[in-house]
Amino acid sequence: MTTADYIALAFFACVWMGYSWLLHGRTFFGRTSLTHAMIERRREWIYNSLRRDLKMIDTQIMAGLQNGTAFFASTSIFALGSCFALLGATEKVDAVFADLPFVLHGGHAVFEMKVGGLAALFGYAFFKFGWSYRLFNYCTILFGSIPMLRDAESDIIAAERAAERVIRMNVIAGSNFNEGLRAIFLSIGYLGWFINPYVFMTTTAIVIFVLARRQFFSQARLAIMDAGPPSNLNLSAIRRDMPSSDGRDLPEEL
């Protein structure tokens, strides 16, 4: 490995840790991150479940979170297996890279080390997704301890305590899922190392820039932030004494 390779690898690690540290803070230039905004939406969701006895919607949301986590965990395992398969074809891949322009050819040992680093990224992502899946499972169990509406009204403190347990577990599970997904994204930047260390630093910077823009300056972030009703909102009141458009009378209580 050359000095540029060591610098690029150190740059990759520092940028990754710096971005993770940035997301652990609540704001960046006065802007709340998408991740922290979603924490508040998770809290609203769990507290809304205290106001209804029928919780099929909530269980469907929990199942969707688990299924998404399981999908990425399986993808990480497949990617990890592909890395080991790539190690078995080192000579063929190395021969292809040797003929490509702008590719810094460092030999078999360097190529195998780069593939090993890529495998470590996917292994890290798998452990994060696997732990997140287990925590979402625990979250489902804790959600079952949330009392029904009548019991919650009679002992609101116990109900809120049960809701807070679910919220904390859900936030931790979501945090592990985000960390695993971040490793998957950064593996795209890592691929630039197979060309040369300068491309490696460039692709890493591009990936971090895209992730930061989505967290602090994206339309998705604005979509979940608190905002007033649109100025062009035009809703007409429904008169209960008028028949519906299909000729049937509206019920007295909707």
Side-chain angles (χ1 to χ4, degrees):
M1 286 179 59
T2 64
T3 304
D5 288 314
Y6 288 111
I7 294 175
L9 188 59
F11 175 79
F12 178 80
C14 291
V15 168
W16 188 352
M17 290 186 294
Y19 180 73
S20 299
W21 174 82
L22 178 65
L23 287 185
H24 277 91
R26 294 194 61 85
T27 59
F28 176 68
F29 288 119
R31 288 177 171 265
T32 303
S33 67
L34 177 62
T35 299
H36 278 90
M38 280 305 303
I39 290 176
E40 296 303 320
R41 303 292 88 79
R42 293 174 192 266
R43 182 178 298 276
E44 291 177 1
W45 158 41
I46 298 301
Y47 271 101
N48 280 337
S49 68
L50 291 175
R51 303 186 181 95
R52 55 177 176 266
D53 281 336
L54 300 178
K55 303 185 187 301
M56 287 81 75
I57 296 176
D58 307 296
T59 55
Q60 288 296 322
I61 295 174
M62 291 286 186
L65 293 174
Q66 284 187 300
N67 291 336
T69 306
F71 168 78
F72 281 104
S74 302
T75 302
S76 300
I77 284 293
F78 291 142
L80 185 61
S82 300
C83 289
F84 286 107
L86 189 60
L87 287 175
T90 301
E91 294 183 357
K92 295 181 179 179
V93 177
D94 202 27
V96 173
F97 279 0
D99 296 332
L100 293 177
F102 308 111
V103 176
L104 185 60
H105 182 62
H108 290 358
V110 174
F111 176 78
E112 291 174 353
M113 188 194 67
K114 292 177 180 179
V115 175
L118 186 62
L121 276 177
F122 291 131
Y124 172 83
F126 169 74
F127 277 106
K128 285 296 182 180
F129 288 132
W131 183 236
S132 176
Y133 182 86
R134 189 172 185 179
L135 293 182
F136 277 129
N137 188 26
Y138 291 161
C139 186
T140 304
I141 297 172
L142 291 175
F143 190 85
S145 67
I146 292 181
M148 292 298 183
L149 179 60
R150 181 178 301 177
D151 296 330
E153 290 176 347
S154 62
D155 192 352
I156 189 63
I157 295 178
E160 290 183 355
R161 190 173 298 164
E164 285 295 332
R165 285 196 296 265
V166 178
I167 293 168
R168 287 196 300 268
M169 186 63 71
N170 196 279
V171 169
I172 296 171
S175 177
N176 280 272
F177 177 83
N178 289 335
E179 290 175 6
L181 198 59
R182 194 177 308 143
I184 295 293
F185 288 145
L186 285 171
S187 67
I188 305 299
Y190 186 94
L191 294 176
W193 200 10
F194 289 94
I195 301 176
N196 62 59
Y198 306 104
V199 175
F200 181 23
M201 289 187 285
T202 302
T203 52
T204 300
I206 291 174
V207 170
I208 290 296
F209 172 79
V210 172
L211 294 179
R213 190 193 67 82
R214 290 177 176 177
Q215 282 286 340
F216 298 100
F217 303 96
S218 65
Q219 294 294 324
R221 173 188 170 276
L222 292 177
I224 64 173
M225 299 299 291
D226 292 329
S231 58
N232 59 348
L233 189 63
N234 184 18
L235 297 177
S236 58
I238 300 177
R239 293 182 58 184
R240 296 177 181 271
D241 56 346
M242 295 293 293
S244 61
S245 58
D246 58 359
R248 294 178 296 178
D249 292 338
L250 292 174
E252 294 182 359
E253 293 183 1
L254 296 177

